[in-house]
């Protein structure tokens, strides 16, 4: 019989003198890090094995049945194992050399930079991508609101009701060619394209862009802003979680025939979380001074008026009135109760950004009240009044009166930055879910291979038991391993199906009619590739790039600017109300009335106050010219002072939260770098561990073929190899998620996936 040489000897002793020596590399997962433990069998165990050859020697008269060899390894396995050293009974010097070789195979984890108390300040200029996003005025064409601004109809344009399109039902055009034979063959690019087109969280953020546009129109007319939505929704974590090992307790079981049960209901994480990026929290700034009527307003009133003159004591003749002619004149012979008039009262009000307000009124009140003749022409002898009022303290200046329009324009920039942030978080979550599905699929292949090996061991042991060369208890042990492997495969398949459901709901809308295409499963077509030579990472440069490229930080700075504008308005509201006015009246009746300027900012509706002289005229035909000063002086002014102080405090809070966000971004980037470096080292350790464990299993099988081992050791090594393979898959998955997490921390996931912001706003992904 020809036997291959299991071990290489270098000490000069013949191969017949065996010193069984076991080397076992166990992968221990702890927060994504792997430690390699090198252990040897004790001398007592070696002596006991040599002293009891009968345990492994066939009985006389029986023929030793050799177990059938496993199928040859695949070309990929041969490529992975061709450079691994042989394992066998080694001397102490050879054991030390093997340990040193392991150290050379596993490169040291790059040492992270020292933690310094003083770090470079944040860049004062945002990146080109952030500036382009903030300046963008793109709106989703399919969700665009129409009718808010005057169009070619001119005067009738402002009175059309705005039209908001119905919710986009989704599109299945991209999905249809991906389904083949009832399976969805999905690449990461296709998954991201489907998410951009159909994900509801992204669609909600598109409507946020429209909310910002409505605030601009509202503020242009003299109203206050109603605000935008600062909530960002993150994708569900899925089975693997954002940073936890893909495989949980089942991969670290020390007893190969006693599987650990994973509760699939607790592993299935489908809950989405929301992050509110508002720097003011639930607090709001005070309304501030009144806002001018930027939208000119025309107020008109017309009606029929009949007046009956009463005859006084001593007047026996009454009032001889005449009937009204066609030209408005009267003729004699009318009764005292026949005075008829058409009344008309018209007012025009408009405010300007400097605070100036113009108010003009026209009416025929003097004629209606005092004339002794009926009149159907309301403008034959009208009374007119024109007033110009200019505030000098409260409500003065463009900076104060245009504050809501400036805030609305800043909110438009914020809305685009929030959309970019939502897109980054959605891409990050979808990529994580996709690569977890890839790893879960690879884990199923590992479990299938372990089940195949367990079934092969059971068949071999069954043949030996039938021939009487193996104790029946060994068959029971092999059967226990077989059922345990079957259980592990069932659990792995359950995890994969759960992940399929989560990923499916992320990329499409299962209940929408557009996605009527049926498929029974998702097959990811991309694979995770870990580079052999990791790139050099300079933490300081990465932090500078991340601070300049993070949309959440950029929008936080814009919120601080909005707060500064609001504080300017509240501080102005604490000033005295001091106005100068000039008024001209024909057929005037009284002095200029003291009327408030603009509309209250607290209401924010731009409602116009009706002029007090709308329907007021004088007895005489004299013209009145008047000018003066109007003063409102609160003697305590505590409310306005408290509002100004509170708004300033809230502004300081926003600035502090923004600075804290900068520190969190630095921390996030630095931890992401450490996580990536750790994941790289962990993956290298897992690959080496799996390779050595494969050699140990091959050696144990060969020893069993010569009666120098037991089924228990083979079973244990089978389980250890399956665990090592699962650990390698988990390490590879963790590396990919660490790489994506770093890109997310740097804010460049869109560029890494070649996604255009304008295309994403319009629901396109090329």
């Amino acid at each position: 019989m020809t036997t291959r040489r299991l071990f290489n000897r270098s000490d000069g002793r013949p191969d017949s003198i065996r010193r069984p020596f076991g080397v076992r590399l166990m992968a221990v997962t702890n927060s994504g890090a792997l430690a390699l433990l090198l252990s040897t069998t004790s001398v007592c165990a070696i002596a006991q094995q040599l002293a009891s050859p009968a345990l492994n020697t066939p009985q006389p008269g029986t023929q030793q049945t050799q177990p059938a060899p496993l199928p040859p390894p695949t070309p990929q396995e041969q490529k992975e194992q061709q450079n691994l050293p042989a394992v066998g009974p080694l001397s102490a010097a050879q054991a030390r050399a093997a340990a040193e070789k392991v150290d050379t195979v596993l490169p040291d984890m790059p040492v992270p930079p020292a933690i310094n108390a003083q770090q470079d300040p944040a860049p004062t200029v945002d990146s080109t991508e952030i500036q382009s996003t903030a300046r963008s005025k793109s709106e989703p064409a399919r969700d665009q609101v129409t009718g808010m601004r005057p169009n070619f109809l001119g005067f009738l344009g402002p009175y059309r009701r705005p039209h908001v399109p119905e919710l986009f039902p989704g599109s299945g055009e991209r999905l249809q060619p991906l389904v083949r034979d009832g399976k969805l063959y999905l690449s990461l690019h296709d998954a991201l394209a489907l998410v951009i087109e159909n994900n509801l969280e992204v669609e909600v953020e598109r409507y946020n862009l429209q909310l910002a546009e409505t605030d601009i129109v509202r503020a242009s007319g003299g109203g206050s802003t109603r605000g935008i939505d600062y909530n960002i929704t993150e994708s569900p974590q899925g089975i693997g979680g954002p940073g936890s090992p893909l495989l949980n307790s089942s991969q670290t079981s020390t007893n190969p025939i006693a599987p650990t049960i994973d509760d699939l209901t607790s592993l299935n994480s489908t809950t989405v979380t929301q992050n509110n990026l508002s720097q003011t929290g639930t607090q709001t700034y005070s309304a501030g001074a009144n806002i001018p009527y930027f939208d000119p307003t025309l107020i008109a009133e017309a009606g029929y008026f009949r007046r009956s003159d009463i005859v006084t004591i001593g007047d026996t003749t009454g009032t001889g009135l005449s009937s009204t002619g066609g030209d408005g004149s009267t003729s004699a012979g009318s009764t005292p109760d026949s005075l008829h008039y058409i009344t008309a009262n018209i007012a025009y009000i408009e405010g300007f950004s400097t605070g100036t307000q113009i108010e003009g009124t026209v009416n025929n009140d003097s004629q209606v009240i005092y004339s002794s003749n009926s009149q159907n022409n309301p403008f034959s002898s009208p009374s007119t009044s024109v007033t110009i009022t200019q505030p000098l303290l409260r409500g003065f200046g463009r900076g104060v009166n245009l504050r809501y329009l400036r805030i609305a324009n800043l909110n438009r920039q914020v809305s685009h930055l929030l959309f970019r942030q939502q897109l980054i978080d959605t891409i990050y979550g979808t990529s994580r879910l996709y690569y977890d599905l890839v790893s879960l699929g690879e884990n199923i292949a590992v479990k299938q291979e372990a089940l195949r090996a367990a079934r092969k061991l059971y068949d071999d042991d069954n043949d030996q038991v039938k021939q009487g060369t193996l104790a029946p208890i060994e068959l029971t042990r092999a059967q226990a391993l077989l059922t345990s492997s079957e259980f592990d495969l069932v659990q792995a398949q359950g995890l994969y199906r759960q992940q399929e459901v989560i990923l499916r709901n992320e990329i499409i809308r299962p209940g929408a009619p557009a996605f009527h295409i049926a498929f029974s499963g998702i097959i990811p077509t991309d694979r995770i590739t870990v580079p052999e030579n990791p790139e050099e990472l300079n933490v300081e440069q990465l932090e500078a790039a991340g601070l300049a490229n993070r949309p959440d930080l950029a929008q936080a700075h814009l919120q601080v600017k909005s707060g500064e504008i609001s504080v300017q308005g509240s501080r102005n509201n604490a000033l005295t109300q001091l106005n100068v006015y000039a008024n001209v009246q024909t057929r005037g009746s009284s002095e200029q009335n003291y009327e408030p300027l603009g509309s209250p900012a607290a209401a924010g509706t731009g409602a116009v106050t009706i002029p007090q002289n709308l329907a007021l005229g004088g007895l005489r035909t004299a013209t009145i010219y008047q000018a003066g000063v109007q003063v409102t002086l609160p003697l305590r002014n505590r409310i306005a002072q408290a509002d100004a102080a509170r708004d300033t405090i809230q502004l300081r809070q926003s600035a502090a939260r923004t600075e804290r966000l900068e520190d969190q971004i630095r921390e996030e980037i630095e931890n992401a770098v450490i996580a990536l470096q750790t994941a790289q080292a962990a993956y290298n350790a897992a690959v080496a561990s799996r390779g050595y464990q494969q050699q140990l299993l091959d050696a144990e099988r060969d020893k069993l073929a010569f009666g120098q081992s037991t089924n228990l050791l083979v079973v244990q090594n089978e389980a250890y190899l399956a665990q090592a393979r699962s650990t390698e898959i988990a390490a590879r998955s963790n590396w990919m998620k660490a790489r994506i997490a770093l890109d997310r921390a740097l804010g460049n996931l869109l560029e890494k996936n070649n996604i255009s912001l304008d295309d994403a706003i319009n629901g396109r992904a090329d």
Side-chain angles (χ1 to χ4, degrees):
M1 178 183 297
T2 303
T3 60
R4 69 181 179 89
R5 187 164 181 164
L6 299 181
F7 310 105
N8 296 324
R9 304 282 306 199
S10 59
D11 54 0
R13 287 178 289 179
D15 291 343
S16 59
I17 303 177
R18 305 283 186 178
R19 292 179 56 192
F21 182 87
V23 180
R24 177 166 302 142
L25 294 174
M26 300 177 60
V28 181
T29 59
N30 184 7
S31 301
L34 296 178
L36 293 179
L37 304 181
L38 183 64
S39 62
T40 61
T41 56
S42 63
V43 176
C44 295
I46 297 174
Q48 183 179 3
Q49 182 178 0
L50 294 176
S52 303
L55 293 177
N56 298 313
T57 304
Q59 299 295 327
T62 63
Q63 182 178 1
Q64 178 73 19
T65 302
Q66 301 296 335
L70 288 172
T74 63
Q76 179 65 23
E77 293 176 341
Q78 293 178 353
K79 182 178 179 181
E80 293 177 352
Q81 299 176 10
Q82 61 183 356
N83 296 324
L84 294 176
V87 178
L90 309 176
S91 64
Q94 289 176 320
R96 287 192 297 270
E100 293 175 357
K101 189 168 186 180
V102 171
D103 292 337
T104 59
V105 172
L106 301 179
D108 294 335
M109 184 180 69
V111 179
I115 299 178
N116 299 323
Q118 181 67 32
Q119 293 182 322
D120 295 335
T124 57
V125 180
D126 293 329
S127 66
T128 304
E129 291 78 10
I130 294 298
Q131 293 180 16
S132 176
T133 301
R135 291 194 301 265
S136 175
K137 296 183 180 180
S138 298
E139 298 181 42
R142 68 190 188 192
D143 302 322
Q144 189 170 8
V145 180
T146 58
M148 287 194 302
R149 296 179 174 89
N151 53 17
F152 67 93
L153 294 177
F155 181 76
L156 296 179
Y159 308 104
R160 294 180 58 196
R161 288 179 296 180
H163 172 71
V164 180
E166 296 293 333
L167 176 65
F168 179 66
S171 174
E173 295 181 1
R174 186 181 295 271
L175 182 68
Q176 185 173 3
L178 302 178
V179 178
R180 300 188 296 273
D181 299 328
K183 300 290 185 179
L184 175 60
Y185 291 84
L186 190 67
S187 66
L188 178 62
H189 175 77
D190 293 329
L192 297 181
L194 289 170
V195 162
I196 292 174
E197 293 177 359
N198 305 296
N199 185 267
L200 287 175
E201 303 302 339
V202 178
E203 187 69 18
V204 168
E205 206 61 36
R206 287 193 184 96
Y207 283 115
N208 205 33
L209 301 176
Q210 296 295 297
L211 291 180
E213 293 297 324
T214 61
D215 266 354
I216 292 178
V217 176
R218 179 183 175 87
S220 300
S224 60
T225 57
R226 297 181 59 182
I228 58 178
D229 185 8
Y230 291 95
N231 288 319
I232 297 298
T233 304
E234 295 186 357
S235 301
Q237 296 180 358
I239 301 303
S244 60
L246 175 66
L247 308 175
N248 295 306
S249 56
S250 61
Q251 71 170 348
T252 58
S253 174
T254 57
N255 189 348
I257 60 176
T260 303
I261 299 177
D262 292 331
D263 184 3
L264 301 187
T265 60
S266 64
L267 291 176
N268 186 9
S269 177
T270 59
T271 305
V272 296
T273 58
Q274 284 190 338
N275 295 326
N276 192 304
L277 300 185
S278 173
Q279 298 303 302
T280 59
T282 58
Q283 301 175 349
T284 58
Y285 292 99
S286 62
N290 287 4
I291 309 171
Y293 303 120
F294 292 134
D295 277 353
T297 303
L298 185 66
I299 304 171
E301 178 187 19
Y304 170 76
F305 187 92
R306 177 181 178 183
R307 193 183 82 214
S308 298
D309 289 348
I310 300 175
V311 179
T312 59
I313 297 176
D315 186 357
T316 59
T317 60
T319 304
L321 301 177
S322 59
S323 60
T324 303
D327 58 354
S329 61
T330 59
S331 60
S334 299
T335 62
D337 298 331
S338 61
L339 293 178
H340 307 277
Y341 300 94
I342 299 298
T343 63
N345 306 304
I346 301 175
Y348 176 88
I349 301 176
E350 183 177 2
F352 301 91
S353 60
T354 57
T356 305
Q357 179 171 301
I358 296 179
E359 177 184 307
T361 60
V362 178
N363 61 63
N364 62 340
D365 178 75
S366 299
Q367 185 182 57
V368 170
I369 299 299
Y370 302 111
S371 175
S372 58
N373 299 320
S374 296
Q375 180 60 259
N376 291 332
N377 182 7
F379 301 106
S380 61
S381 300
S383 299
T384 60
S385 175
V386 177
T387 304
I388 300 178
T389 307
Q390 173 63 53
L392 300 180
L393 294 177
R394 185 190 302 174
F396 172 77
R398 294 171 54 87
V400 172
N401 296 308
L402 294 177
R403 64 185 183 277
Y404 282 114
L405 183 58
R406 294 162 59 195
I407 291 174
N409 282 293
L410 288 177
N411 282 348
R412 177 165 61 182
Q413 300 181 36
V414 171
S415 67
H416 281 79
L417 291 170
L418 290 175
F419 181 82
R420 183 183 181 91
Q421 183 65 44
Q422 178 66 70
L423 205 58
I424 289 176
D425 287 351
T426 304
I427 291 173
Y428 167 72
T430 304
S431 301
R432 190 186 65 237
L433 293 174
Y434 181 87
Y435 284 119
D436 274 346
L437 185 67
V438 172
S439 300
L440 287 168
E442 294 176 350
N443 186 55
I444 290 178
V446 170
K447 299 304 181 183
Q448 290 173 339
E449 177 66 20
L451 177 61
R452 185 186 65 84
R455 184 175 289 111
K456 179 67 171 58
L457 179 64
Y458 173 79
D459 293 340
D460 292 343
D461 288 356
N462 189 30
D463 292 340
Q464 294 187 48
V465 169
K466 290 180 180 179
Q467 296 180 13
T469 60
L470 188 67
I473 189 62
E474 297 298 335
L475 181 62
T476 304
R477 197 188 312 276
Q479 189 172 10
L481 176 62
L482 178 62
T483 56
S484 175
S485 300
E486 290 176 346
F487 180 82
D488 288 342
L489 177 59
V490 169
Q491 286 206 129
Q493 291 173 338
L495 293 175
Y496 186 88
R497 293 180 61 187
Q498 285 182 328
Q499 188 75 1
E500 278 184 320
V501 173
I502 299 173
L503 180 60
R504 180 202 64 192
N505 291 353
E506 186 75 5
I507 62 178
I508 65 174
R509 307 178 195 177
F515 303 99
H516 63 278
I517 306 172
F519 54 90
S520 59
I522 301 176
I523 300 178
T525 59
D526 292 349
R527 292 294 177 262
I528 302 175
T529 303
V530 181
E532 296 181 0
N533 300 319
E535 60 179 318
E536 296 292 335
L537 301 175
N538 187 304
V539 175
E540 294 182 357
Q541 294 179 359
L542 293 177
E543 287 180 353
L547 291 172
N549 203 45
R550 286 285 292 261
D552 52 349
L553 180 60
Q555 67 86 29
H557 288 304
L558 292 179
Q559 288 189 51
V560 173
K561 290 183 179 180
S562 297
E564 293 173 352
I565 297 173
S566 297
V567 168
Q568 182 182 1
S570 62
R571 292 175 65 87
N572 181 268
N573 195 45
L575 299 177
T576 301
Q577 183 71 57
L578 176 62
N579 304 334
V580 293
Y581 69 90
N583 173 259
V584 177
Q585 301 180 33
T586 62
R587 300 180 185 272
S589 62
S590 63
E591 297 180 1
Q592 172 64 24
N593 297 312
Y594 193 168
E595 298 176 354
L597 299 179
S599 63
T605 60
V608 176
T609 302
I610 305 299
Q612 298 181 22
N613 60 352
L614 175 63
L616 187 62
L619 174 61
R620 300 182 180 274
T621 59
T623 300
I624 297 176
Y625 299 93
Q626 56 183 324
V629 178
Q630 300 170 337
V631 179
T632 300
L633 182 62
L635 298 182
R636 300 295 295 272
N637 204 27
R638 287 180 287 187
I639 296 177
Q641 292 288 351
D643 284 343
R646 181 183 178 89
D647 287 353
T648 305
I649 293 173
Q650 291 180 195
L651 177 61
R652 299 292 183 269
Q653 288 180 326
S654 298
R657 293 190 182 101
T658 301
E659 186 173 346
R660 174 54 183 159
L661 180 59
E662 292 181 3
D663 295 338
Q664 290 176 348
I665 291 175
R666 296 177 189 272
E667 177 183 347
E668 184 178 347
I669 293 174
E670 190 167 355
N671 284 335
V673 171
I674 295 174
L676 182 60
Q677 294 173 342
T678 304
Q680 181 77 41
Y683 173 74
N684 293 338
V687 171
S689 175
R690 188 264 306 158
Y692 287 115
Q693 192 63 54
Q694 180 67 55
Q695 292 188 50
L696 287 172
L697 176 60
D698 294 340
E700 207 65 46
R701 286 171 176 167
D702 289 341
K703 290 167 62 178
L704 178 64
F706 291 99
Q708 299 298 317
S709 183
T710 64
N711 275 355
L712 175 60
L713 295 178
V714 174
V715 168
Q716 287 179 340
N717 280 279
E718 290 276 6
Y720 292 145
L721 177 59
Q723 292 176 8
R725 288 177 173 174
S726 296
T727 301
E728 179 184 355
I729 294 172
R732 185 162 54 243
S733 174
N734 285 340
W735 178 89
M736 177 55 72
K737 289 188 286 189
R739 176 70 257 185
I740 301 173
L742 178 59
D743 292 336
R744 180 198 188 191
L746 296 175
N748 58 5
L749 268 179
L750 299 187
E751 290 73 28
K752 285 295 184 69
N753 291 278
N754 298 319
I755 296 175
S756 170
L757 182 67
D758 290 340
D759 289 344
I761 289 177
N762 288 282
R764 300 191 306 266
D766 296 332

